[in-house]
Amino acid sequence: MIFNRLIPGNIQKAVAPVRYPFLWNAAIQDHTQWPGFAGNGDTILSLARNLGEVCGVLANFPPQNAWYGIDHLDMNSANFPGLLTLEGLIKKIGPPQWPWTVDSTLADRGQAVFSRSTAHGGCGDRHGIKPVDSSIRILGMAVLGSIEHYRLGNPITCAVDGNSVGLSQRPKVGGLKRLYRLASADAAYESRVLQGIWAAAPYLHNGSVPTLAQLLTPAAHRVKSLAVGPNYDPVNVGLASTRTKFGYTFQATGCSNINSGNSNCGREYGTTLSPSDKAALLEYLETL
């Protein structure tokens, strides 16, 4: 690890949490990058995502000048075969199963409520960067350059229109060029897959809602104080209101301060259901 390359001015205090999807759903999300720009199921995009993470946690990576431009592999500590292996292992992880008794009759009714309520890739090519450019474009260039240099001596295949294509063929469309489109309207949050949703509390993108029952409550009436800990509430499906471990309490803001990053406003989805329909819906969500 090389720490003397840190730029103090780039270090900002994290003032708002982000609840990333759990690993057991990574292989079945349409997109696994939280901004929603990296399509899933593509080997090269997966490698790019993981390599970008390695760079973000201070991998040893000072690009060196070389006769053909920049050498992205010299002194690069990223373990490419290991990153690809981990991606394969993640696909084998399944969601946890609800450990308590399920009322199957109620769950079946909840599935009908759910159905009624919800009725509403390739490889990349090279882009240059400007003398002064955004951090995501610089990171994207570093990641893409590293992968291109790595593939010169190591066969990697990726899916292009359903076919397996070697990187040496370097098709000119799709793929990693999405790394440079973060500012476009295509970049957006993706709703998480619901398998194992009962074990994914707290909810919303910032973890500001403790239970699924609270998520079915109008935003104005949701609790603002969350006791974060391992205690579980199987009735309301999520974090219990009391805890026996840890001492952290999350303070959410409401709809009057949505720019705080800690707001529990939004997702008024299912809040108008009857109490019996909400109970049935929660029972169904426990089975996923």
Side-chain angles (χ1 to χ4, degrees):
M1 300 296 181
I2 295 180
F3 294 95
N4 60 2
R5 290 184 173 83
L6 291 178
I7 302 175
N10 287 343
I11 302 175
Q12 301 294 325
K13 181 179 179 181
V15 295
V18 175
R19 289 285 296 170
Y20 290 93
F22 281 72
L23 279 179
W24 63 73
N25 284 332
I28 56 177
Q29 290 278 158
D30 292 330
H31 301 81
T32 50
Q33 281 281 15
W34 203 232
F37 62 80
N40 212 7
D42 184 296
T43 302
I44 301 306
L45 284 175
S46 298
L47 179 59
R49 179 182 67 247
N50 295 335
L51 183 59
E53 178 68 17
V54 168
C55 294
V57 295
L58 302 178
N60 184 351
F61 177 51
Q64 303 295 310
N65 289 329
W67 65 270
Y68 51 82
I70 298 176
D71 186 347
H72 290 82
L73 293 185
D74 185 39
M75 297 179 65
N76 189 333
S77 65
N79 183 341
F80 288 82
L83 293 175
L84 291 167
T85 297
L86 287 174
E87 192 68 24
L89 292 174
I90 286 174
K91 296 177 182 179
K92 298 180 180 180
I93 301 176
Q97 301 299 304
W98 179 258
W100 295 283
T101 301
V102 172
D103 183 332
S104 58
T105 301
L106 186 61
D108 288 343
R109 190 162 72 84
Q111 184 175 12
V113 173
F114 178 81
S115 298
R116 184 174 72 244
S117 300
T118 55
H120 66 258
C123 307
D125 61 338
R126 181 178 295 278
H127 284 243
I129 59 175
K130 303 173 183 177
V132 177
D133 215 328
S134 65
S135 58
I136 185 60
R137 285 177 58 86
I138 295 171
L139 175 61
M141 191 65 185
V143 167
L144 179 55
S146 297
I147 292 175
E148 286 188 336
H149 282 191
Y150 178 76
R151 60 91 184 174
L152 290 176
N154 301 272
I156 304 176
T157 59
C158 62
V160 177
D161 296 330
N163 299 313
S164 180
V165 177
L167 265 189
S168 59
Q169 297 172 249
R170 291 191 57 207
K172 298 293 185 182
V173 295
L176 289 179
K177 63 171 64 177
R178 298 182 195 175
L179 289 169
Y180 307 105
R181 297 177 180 171
L182 284 180
S184 73
D186 293 331
Y189 287 124
E190 180 188 5
S191 298
R192 67 178 55 181
V193 174
L194 292 182
Q195 277 79 356
I197 191 66
W198 66 269
Y203 301 101
L204 292 188
H205 294 99
N206 58 4
S208 60
V209 178
T211 66
L212 289 179
Q214 277 282 300
L215 201 57
L216 295 176
T217 301
H221 300 143
R222 292 171 185 164
V223 298
K224 299 296 189 295
S225 181
L226 285 67
V228 179
N231 291 32
Y232 194 83
D233 182 350
V235 175
N236 293 302
V237 191
L239 298 185
S241 58
T242 58
R243 59 167 177 256
T244 56
K245 292 183 178 180
F246 312 138
Y248 177 69
T249 299
F250 174 74
Q251 296 293 335
T253 62
C255 297
S256 61
N257 191 12
I258 59 175
N259 291 327
S260 68
N262 296 314
S263 172
N264 63 6
C265 190
R267 288 289 181 180
E268 299 278 335
Y269 191 58
T271 59
T272 60
L273 292 172
S274 68
S276 61
D277 279 351
K278 288 182 180 180
L281 179 57
L282 290 179
E283 198 74 10
Y284 168 64
L285 293 176
E286 294 166 3
T287 68
L288 298 180

